[in-house]
Amino acid sequence: MNSLHFAPRRNWTNDPNGLVFHKGRYHLYFQHNPIGIDHRNMSWGHASSPDLVHWEEHPVAIEFDEAEEIFSGSIVVDAENTSGLGTVADPALIAIYTSEARDRDHEAQSLAFSLDDGMTWTKYAGNPVLDRSSAHFRDPKVIRWEGREESYWVMLAVEAEDRQVLFYRSDDLLTWTHLSSFGPQGAVGGVWECPDLFPLRVEGTDETHWVLLVSLNPGGIAGGSGTQYFVGDFDGRVFTPHERFPEVLPDDEAGMRSLDWLDYGRDCYAGVSFAGLPEDRRTLIAWMSNWDYARVFPVDPERPARGRFTLPRRLSLVAGDARPRLRQTPVAPAVREVARFEDLEVSTPVSIPTPVGQRVELAVALRDTAGFSIRLEGDEDRALEISYDVAAQQLSCDRRGSSAGFPEGFASVQRMPVAADSELSLTLWLDESSVEIYAEGGARVLTDLVGVLRAPTMRVASGSGSGSGAMIRRLIISEVAE
Ligand code: FRU
């Protein structure tokens, strides 16, 4: 398998939309231009999967028209038929999306419903259902609030330029009243987009906290598009973070590092989670690109396509030094072990041929070394280097060696704080054109697109320093089995 990641066959793609698990299938809708390679004519494309690994692409679900483009949003199953658009026996799926007016600067929230389990959609005749006469009010995420006394729908949507998440309530999905607003707070170097809110348990405890995800562009930790998160409480009306952050701009490096980031790479944006799954299976998918260069990304003229998605990731919380942190565990294809090394001294670099779609599990003893690096070298002199600096407790992902032919700004080095005492463990998922790096058991993640890496050889080397070299406790290379 050359790619671990689902990508629509043709045309332009950005954010995942309306993620929902329904009747045994995972549905992934997405921002899509059905007729072109550019970010225009936004509609919802559609794919579904029985297992989050094998995807089938379906016809476009909700299409643009002369009046509006269909911007990002979410889907709920209206099990009690609160909207009256389905029946209790055969509940409607309701998509809540942003109507992006074509003739003026105006964004409002609208509905479409499906009576055939998500395959075909009808726009609601009373659209829009929530309009505050704004040009930047978008990306509705609707969740069901199950309080002790009452249950109702809650919508989160951003007032993008104000760096605010607005909360609304509804009993029928058709009429909405304002509950509260959150922000600006934390990273504010760009517009806020694509919010999500869900409860998560701290692993190994009975404690549950609410996590608010906020994507922002630009102003992310790696430059351009990025996603911050806030851990706090939600009482059905107001989200209150456990810690109040000051507003931080990208040039304040220490401030940026003090915030909580979903991902430290360049290419993980607009990630949101599935509706319809139990809380202990909360699963996120993100767009694997960055607005810094997505619009000018090179395409294969034979098969013009732009945009794909990260591996789906199960989410949990883990206790951290100061506060709970998100842990991400990828849902990935089955693999077959192809090489295993144990207790390997790397005083001189070691070279290992590797498959294209692969998982690399690595554990390195750090006692006698300043660090180590893994360099993946493909054909045409392309290379990707992942290295760890013990003194700085920092992992770097350098894709400059694989950036020839890519847009300006693509050649870059991403850095992620990774704490390690005597041993560092990493899991990498690599395919021909991307890497996902999971460190600290998934509590630190870095996702980057890379230039094409065909037939990669892996070179493992010790960092410079006085020690005798890094000791590889374990290096297991597995290829994707299908
Ligand atoms: C995020 C975003 C959303 C918007 C959509 C338009 O990447 O800008 O805010 O709804 O993309 O395609």
Side-chain angles (χ1 to χ4, degrees), residues 12 14-15 31 39 42 71-72 98 138-139 192-194 269-270 287 291:
W12 169 275
N14 58 297
D15 313 354
Q31 286 289 280
H39 183 249
M42 279 300 104
F71 270 19
S72 286
T98 298
R138 60 177 178 267
D139 304 342
W192 281 19
E193 299 185 315
C194 300
Y269 192 60
W287 177 41
W291 283 114

Side-chain angles (χ1 to χ4, degrees), residues 344-350 460-463 467-471:
L344 179 71
E345 195 87 49
V346 279
S347 35
T348 55
V350 181
V460 185
S462 256
S468 56
M471 163 70 98

